[in-house]
Amino acid sequence: MNALDVTVATIGRAHGLKGEVALILRTDQPEERLAAGTAFTVATSAGERDLTVAATRIQQGRWYARFSEVSSRTDAESLRGVELTLAVDTEVEAEEDPEAWYPSELKGLAVRHVDGRELGTVIDLEHYPAQDLLIVRSAEGRRVMLPFVEELVPEVDVEAGTVIADPPGGLFEPSGEDEPGTGA
């Protein structure tokens, strides 16, 4: 087995008084990866801890979970920011969805404009509530935050080592502040 640890979700705020938490999803298969009985070993400020999914539900498009080991709001609140990570078999995953990729596979990929121009290299992926952002080191060495949405990033080809982007005008061009001799 060729295993890779993937983050399935990040635990958000406590919800209610009995230990339920909001989840910030990091997977496109939440029903499968967060099924009742799924066990996670997580790192908390108090050390390692086991969490077993007791139930999940969706309310107004938001995912919530209860864990067998968590029964109070205080305990649930202490889990805020904890990542739920699973080991997945990349070979099995590739058979199921050959075009799938993992965030760790994005680092180092060349970013090219849809017209073929070289824009830079992916250095990270950051998660935000509205959308994820690809962090790109531009050809000039600047750090550019590219919204990771299909309209702006229509193609990711891990095998070819490229990300095709159609960024809005000006995102990859140096601002006047960055140019030498402008007093900045």
Side-chain angles (χ1 to χ4, degrees):
M1 178 170 129
N2 190 7
L4 177 68
D5 286 338
V6 295
T7 300
V8 174
T10 302
I11 297 176
R13 61 180 172 74
H15 186 77
L17 301 174
K18 297 183 179 178
E20 188 175 53
V21 294
L23 296 177
I24 302 162
L25 297 181
R26 303 282 182 238
T27 180
D28 56 356
Q29 301 171 325
E31 296 87 359
E32 182 180 316
R33 298 185 196 248
L34 293 166
T38 303
F40 298 93
T41 300
V42 299
T44 70
S45 58
E48 273 196 358
R49 179 171 180 183
D50 293 327
L51 295 176
T52 307
V53 177
T56 58
R57 67 182 179 90
I58 304 169
Q59 181 180 341
Q60 296 179 340
R62 180 119 199 203
W63 276 73
Y64 296 91
R66 275 189 311 103
F67 299 102
S68 301
E69 301 81 1
V70 181
S71 61
S72 72
R73 181 176 183 87
T74 303
D75 197 10
E77 196 58 49
S78 74
L79 296 172
R80 191 174 195 159
V82 168
E83 293 187 342
L84 301 175
T85 304
L86 287 176
V88 298
D89 185 334
T90 55
E91 293 169 7
V92 170
E93 297 277 318
E95 288 175 17
E96 291 176 6
D97 186 359
E99 294 186 22
W101 46 263
Y102 298 99
S104 61
E105 295 176 308
L106 297 176
K107 290 182 183 178
L109 296 184
V111 180
R112 291 203 170 88
H113 194 279
V114 290
D115 67 10
R117 287 181 289 141
E118 186 77 28
L119 296 174
T121 304
V122 176
I123 57 173
D124 204 358
L125 175 69
E126 293 182 2
H127 306 287
Y128 290 90
Q131 74 227 352
D132 292 339
L133 295 174
L134 275 179
I135 308 303
V136 179
R137 177 74 55 214
S138 74
E140 297 80 30
R142 292 184 311 111
R143 184 177 187 265
V144 177
M145 297 168 67
L146 175 64
F148 198 19
V149 295
E150 191 170 0
E151 296 80 24
L152 302 180
V153 184
E155 184 179 335
V156 174
D157 189 340
V158 174
E159 284 188 21
T162 60
V163 171
I164 304 301
D166 191 8
L171 187 61
F172 279 86
E173 283 77 36
S175 67
E177 300 168 357
D178 295 337
E179 294 176 20
T182 61

